[in-house]
Every structure is written in structure tokens, then in C-alpha cells.
Amino acid sequence: MQKIIILDFGSQTTQLIGRRVRELDTFCEILPYNKYPEDDSDVIGVILSGSPYSVHDPEAFKVDLTRFVGRLPVLGICYGAQFISHTLGGKVEKTDSREYGRANLETIDLTNPLFKGFDRGSQVWMSHGDTITRIPDGFQVIGSTKDVQNAAFWCPGDKLVHCKCSNGQSVWAVQFHPEVYHTLQGTQLLKNFVVDICGSRQEWSAASFVDTTVAELKAQLGQDRVILGLSGGVDSSVAAVLLNKAIGNRLTCIFVDHGMLRKNEFQQVMDDYRVLGLNVIGVDASEKFFADLAGVTEPEQKRKIIGRDFVEVFNQEAKKITDARWLAQGTIYPDRIESLNITGKVIKSHHNVGGLPKEMHLQLCEPLKWLFKDEVRRVGRQLQMPEHLITRHPFPGPGLAVRILGDITREKVRILQDADDIYIRGLREYVDTDGETLYNKVWQAGAVLLSTVRSVGVMGDERTYENPVALRAVTSTDAMTADWAHLPYDFLAKVSNEIINKVRGVNRVCYDISSKPPATIEWE
């Protein structure tokens, strides 16, 4: 299959480049800057990402451009553009001030294939500390802003004298970020590069993924039995339906209830899975989880206990399936990217990444490992799964345990489940002025119980001293960054009133207006 290689130099927006390319129905692979493939026969183009480094830093990441420059179309973005210029004989210098924010391409070569369909003065987004003061010999400027002369430049393949192996493929470079929302025609630029310049046949789609993956699963798994841990979330659910389509009842799913799911969620999810025809074992292990969490208040310790207990419970059930040969997981592409930095060292442990318990002696199957979250949802729709499963908000593995400040008790979980249920039902029922429900307009929402805090209130003629609840709702595309959702005041007023009136133990409701960063989506 055709693919675009994106070499990651450590930019926070590298994943966005990948998502934009995938939205063009083109497969792409994000690789560390130093992991360019030995066999690139299926590669049709290369994109170099931004980076937190300057090209002059001793620790700056470097790649051998001669491996692909001249052989394949290349697009350098921000640091990628500066690295191309610096390496091929141009000049990159420190600026007096960081160039950050919106700018406009006041000069633009609309005849260049990279800028086909662009408007004069098109808005772009800058984010760099260095600037390119001289481009390499043979290159031509094709875009400038008021403050950045060399905002975009290229070298036609027939003038590329910097690489002995050149076969006439051109190089483009832009100092702005076409992948971010604030570059208004960034998608058009990437389309010009990926489709028109690189020649993508745009064959990557949900339908093609389902057909190809089902065939690959049949070949990979044969007649073997597979175990899959379900969470109720969209990733594991789509993985289960794909596997079921490939191997049928040779798939056994295990759904563990740790007691900290949303209100009535365990039974609702079990019912959904049965409707889908999945072979599911439901395990109520809440007694064990509550016992092991008793008195624990430190967030990371809570997470570790829940993770450890989940593995123990899951393994106990999995061992009963004596002829199983594979363990399937709903690992998606961002899980794998976030778990490794560009030097290949682990920087974030993810529950779906890192291998299997040695005592299980199972091989790993990850049918969604190349998909972004929005692609998983498109595959779910292609598989005709219920929409409420596909659009379900992300929910943390430790469940409500990381939405309760302090120690965990059944009573605190009961309070939070009741408050959260009112909040989520309200989001599903409230139709905004554009005809869309609030639930579908936010990325993730949930209630948080501030059980380490007490608040004075008055209910009737009596003084109360009970818990506040904080409501959280964020908008995002990938959870790497998130902004607080601007929910209507009348909705917040109605939900607040209903929670205080109906949930015993709560006398105050707050709304969290923190963005990520600096805050995280979850409170713990």
C-alpha cells in the first residue's frame, strides 16, 4: 500500500500531521527521525516535522537527507524546513524574538503546485525561535509574510544538485505549520503535496481497512482462540467486532467491573455486546478493588492498584480458557506513539502498550494499531455498530477512582455516579441551536467529587455541610491538547439544580474552565 512517511523530530503537532494525511484517505506512518525504513519501495513522499530544538543545538535531531531527498518528494515543516536549509547550505539564525502566532502570506507564488487553490494573504500559524535568513543554492522563495522573508521555498527536481542520487523529485519547505487549525488553508497545502505532488491514489478508507484487516486476521489467527479484554470504550469494542467478523466464536471477551464504572454501565455495556453477537464473560470484581483501595489517597497509587488488580482478575479468567493462543487489545496508533519518544525510550506507560504478563504465554494481536481515534469511529460505523457505542466519550481505565479526590468508598462512588448520570443524560438531551446535542459537541465530559472538601450550604431551613461536585467538559481532536467547553448557562443552571436537589451528599456544583495544558482532562 502507498504511504507517506512522517519523520518525527519531537514536535507536539506531529500527530496532527498524521491525522491530516489520513483525512486525505492516504496511509501514513509516523517514525522517529532516526528510523527511516531500509525498504521504502512503498513510500511516495516524506514529511519532516517540527521540533523543540534549534538546528544549532548540540543535541538537535538530525537525519541523513540523502536517503530520500531527490528520490522522493519531500516537505519540511518548521524545524524540518530549517533543517533542510541548514543542511543543504542555507543559513538559519536566532531571531530577536520568537515568531509565534498568526501571520499572512503577503507574497505567494500561486503557480507553484504546493499553493494550488490558495488565496493571496492566506493566514498561517508560526511557531519558531530561529528563522531562515538564506535558502540553499538552487532553491526559490515561494511565500513570504511581513516578518518572514523565507516562509516557504522549494527546489525543482531538475535543479537539485545537493544529492547525487536525485531522480528529479522536488523539495518543499515551509516555516509555518499547515497541520494546525489556525493555518486556514493548511489542509489544502497538505492535499496538494500528498495527492497532487506525491500521487496518492487515496485508497485508505474505513471500508478498505475493514476488508484488509479481516483478511489479515483470518490469515494471522487461523483456527486459534483469542481472548480480548473489553472496557466498554469505542477502541476495544471496535476491535472486538472486527475480530468477531474474522473468527466468530473463537473470540472470547472478558469485561471486568471494578465497581467504579458509571451508573448502570456494566449491565448496559453487557447488553450492547450481546446485541452485537459477541461472546462476553462479565466479571464483578468490585469487592476486591474496593478492599485493596481502602484508605489510599495518592492518585498514582490508586492507578497502580487498579491496574494490578485488573491484570490479576483478567488473568484468572483468561486461564480458564485453556486453548487460547492470542490476547487481543484495542491499542490504537496514538497509544503507541505516546509510549515512545523519538529516541525510542519509554516516556509514558499506557495500559495497552508494553507487552503481556509472562505467565500468560500468549501472542499479541492489535487490529487497530494503525488507527487514530476518529478513524476507529469511522470503522465502527462501517461495521454498522450502534451510534451510542461509537460516539461514547473516552473514559479513564481506573474509572471514577480518578474523579474522586481522596480515598475511595462505595458511598462516594454512589454519590458521584448519581451526579455524573444527571450530567451526562443532560448533555445527551440538550439540543443546541445548531441541532446537535451537547454530548456530541464535546470530546469528553464527567463529574468530579471533591470529597476532600466540605462546603456550607442551606437546604430548606437547615444548614448543610456536604461535598462540592465539579463538572468537566472539554473539546479536543486527539486529547493531546484540550479546551474547556463553553456550555450554555441555562444548561449548567439546570444540571446544577438537579444534582443538588436529587443527589444526597452534594450541596454545591462548580464548572471547571481549565484547559490542557496546563491542567489535565482528569483531576487525578
Side-chain angles (χ1 to χ4, degrees):
M1 179 186 296
Q2 292 181 319
K3 66 181 175 183
I4 297 288
I5 290 294
I6 301 169
L7 291 182
D8 181 16
F9 290 86
S11 171
Q12 291 182 338
T13 60
T14 300
Q15 278 202 45
L16 286 179
I17 303 173
R19 291 183 69 253
R20 298 290 179 260
V21 172
R22 295 282 184 89
E23 288 166 2
L24 296 169
D25 299 325
T26 303
F27 182 68
C28 67
E29 189 172 353
I30 298 173
L31 296 173
Y33 71 97
N34 56 354
K35 299 294 183 182
Y36 186 80
E38 292 297 327
D39 180 6
D40 63 357
S41 56
D42 53 356
V43 178
I44 59 173
V46 179
I47 298 176
L48 309 184
S49 83
S51 175
Y53 289 113
S54 161
V55 294
H56 300 295
D57 291 342
E59 65 270 35
F61 300 129
K62 298 178 174 62
V63 65
D64 181 4
L65 293 178
T66 62
R67 298 192 61 187
F68 44 81
V69 165
R71 294 179 49 246
L72 295 164
V74 175
L75 172 63
I77 295 174
C78 197
Y79 175 90
Q82 294 171 1
F83 182 77
I84 288 171
S85 181
H86 178 72
T87 304
L88 300 184
K91 191 172 185 179
V92 179
E93 295 183 285
K94 291 284 185 183
T95 57
D96 294 333
S97 61
R98 178 180 170 89
E99 293 167 342
Y100 181 83
R102 295 175 177 84
N104 297 92
L105 292 174
E106 297 186 351
T107 304
I108 183 171
D109 182 359
L110 297 177
T111 66
N112 191 276
L114 192 67
F115 287 130
K116 185 182 75 173
F118 261 60
D119 301 324
R120 293 194 183 277
S122 187
Q123 178 181 292
V124 297
W125 183 264
M126 295 287 187
S127 180
H128 55 90
D130 293 351
T131 195
I132 298 166
T133 55
R134 187 180 72 242
I135 59 177
D137 293 341
F139 281 75
Q140 304 168 23
V141 176
I142 55 175
S144 304
T145 70
K146 178 181 178 182
D147 298 316
V148 181
Q149 171 65 29
N150 301 312
F153 52 98
W154 83 309
C155 184
D158 59 357
K159 295 183 179 179
L160 191 63
V161 296
H162 313 80
C163 180
K164 295 179 181 179
C165 61
S166 177
N167 63 359
Q169 295 295 340
S170 304
V171 178
W172 285 263
V174 295
Q175 286 207 74
F176 54 87
H177 287 270
E179 71 274 21
V180 303
Y181 173 78
H182 300 295
T183 295
L184 298 185
Q185 293 184 285
T187 299
Q188 179 67 40
L189 185 149
L190 290 172
K191 179 178 183 294
N192 291 340
F193 179 72
V194 170
V195 179
D196 296 344
I197 294 170
C198 297
S200 168
R201 294 190 293 266
Q202 297 184 282
E203 299 170 327
W204 177 258
S205 66
S208 66
F209 175 83
V210 169
D211 292 342
T212 301
T213 303
V214 168
E216 289 175 349
L217 289 170
K218 287 179 177 179
Q220 179 186 24
L221 303 174
Q223 297 300 309
D224 292 347
R225 185 169 293 280
V226 180
I227 301 170
L228 170 66
L230 288 171
S231 67
V234 62
D235 299 338
S236 64
S237 299
V238 171
V241 174
L242 266 176
L243 282 159
N244 188 59
K245 187 176 178 68
I247 64 173
N249 62 10
R250 294 197 303 281
L251 170 68
T252 300
C253 303
I254 300 173
F255 182 28
V256 177
D257 180 8
H258 50 37
M260 286 152 284
L261 300 172
R262 284 178 158 150
K263 188 174 183 178
N264 302 322
E265 184 174 31
F266 181 69
Q267 190 56 53
Q268 290 169 358
V269 171
M270 287 293 292
D271 291 343
D272 283 335
Y273 286 151
R274 291 190 179 103
V275 169
L276 290 170
L278 300 178
N279 176 25
V280 184
I281 298 171
V283 183
D284 181 357
S286 56
E287 289 291 343
K288 174 179 176 58
F289 284 87
F290 278 111
D292 290 350
L293 285 168
V296 178
T297 61
E298 205 279 321
E300 187 63 18
Q301 190 178 358
K302 285 194 285 188
R303 287 178 177 271
K304 287 181 178 178
I305 290 170
I306 292 169
R308 180 201 67 200
D309 284 3
F310 179 86
V311 170
E312 289 179 5
V313 173
F314 183 86
N315 286 355
Q316 288 173 4
E317 293 299 321
K319 287 176 181 177
K320 298 175 184 177
I321 308 170
T322 56
D323 58 342
R325 297 290 179 268
W326 298 82
L327 175 69
Q329 291 183 333
T331 312
I332 63 175
Y333 200 31
D335 299 339
R336 301 164 61 216
I337 297 170
E338 290 173 9
S339 297
L340 291 175
N341 71 5
I342 55 179
T343 62
K345 296 179 181 178
V346 175
I347 58 173
K348 175 183 175 184
S349 295
H350 191 278
H351 64 279
N352 273 348
V353 178
L356 307 173
K358 292 180 180 179
E359 66 272 15
M360 292 189 72
H361 304 294
L362 298 176
Q363 300 178 74
L364 186 60
C365 175
E366 298 173 304
L368 307 180
K369 65 183 180 180
W370 292 110
L371 299 186
F372 290 97
K373 177 73 78 173
D374 50 342
E375 293 177 311
V376 175
R377 292 194 169 106
R378 288 202 291 271
V379 169
R381 292 187 177 97
Q382 181 67 31
L383 293 167
Q384 299 183 322
M385 293 173 60
E387 190 67 16
H388 69 271
L389 268 181
I390 295 170
T391 59
R392 185 176 185 265
H393 287 177
F395 189 65
L400 299 180
V402 293
R403 294 180 180 174
I404 296 174
L405 274 60
D407 66 327
I408 307 299
T409 67
R410 284 192 179 273
E411 175 62 10
K412 291 179 181 179
V413 171
R414 191 275 308 166
I415 292 172
L416 185 54
Q417 284 177 332
D418 288 347
D420 182 82
D421 184 58
I422 291 170
Y423 181 35
I424 298 302
R425 280 193 293 104
L427 289 168
R428 290 185 182 278
E429 293 168 0
Y430 190 103
V431 179
D432 210 352
T433 53
D434 60 0
E436 186 76 80
T437 66
L438 292 180
Y439 185 87
N440 287 340
K441 295 180 80 168
V442 303
W443 168 270
Q444 187 172 345
V448 181
L449 181 64
L450 281 61
S451 61
T452 57
V453 178
R454 290 294 182 92
S455 166
V456 173
V458 177
M459 301 186 76
D461 294 324
E462 296 183 0
R463 174 185 183 274
T464 61
Y465 191 52
E466 295 179 332
N467 298 119
V469 161
L471 305 181
R472 180 82 158 132
V474 298
T475 57
S476 181
T477 56
D478 50 22
M480 301 294 287
T481 61
D483 193 12
W484 62 277
H486 295 229
L487 300 181
Y489 288 161
D490 62 326
F491 168 78
L492 291 172
K494 181 177 183 296
V495 167
S496 172
N497 186 63
E498 189 173 353
I499 289 174
I500 291 171
N501 285 338
K502 293 183 178 180
V503 181
R504 178 170 41 86
V506 176
N507 68 353
R508 189 180 298 268
V509 174
C510 311
Y511 187 56
D512 182 349
I513 60 169
S514 309
S515 295
K516 174 189 179 183
T520 54
I521 294 177
E522 301 297 340
W523 277 46
E524 289 196 343

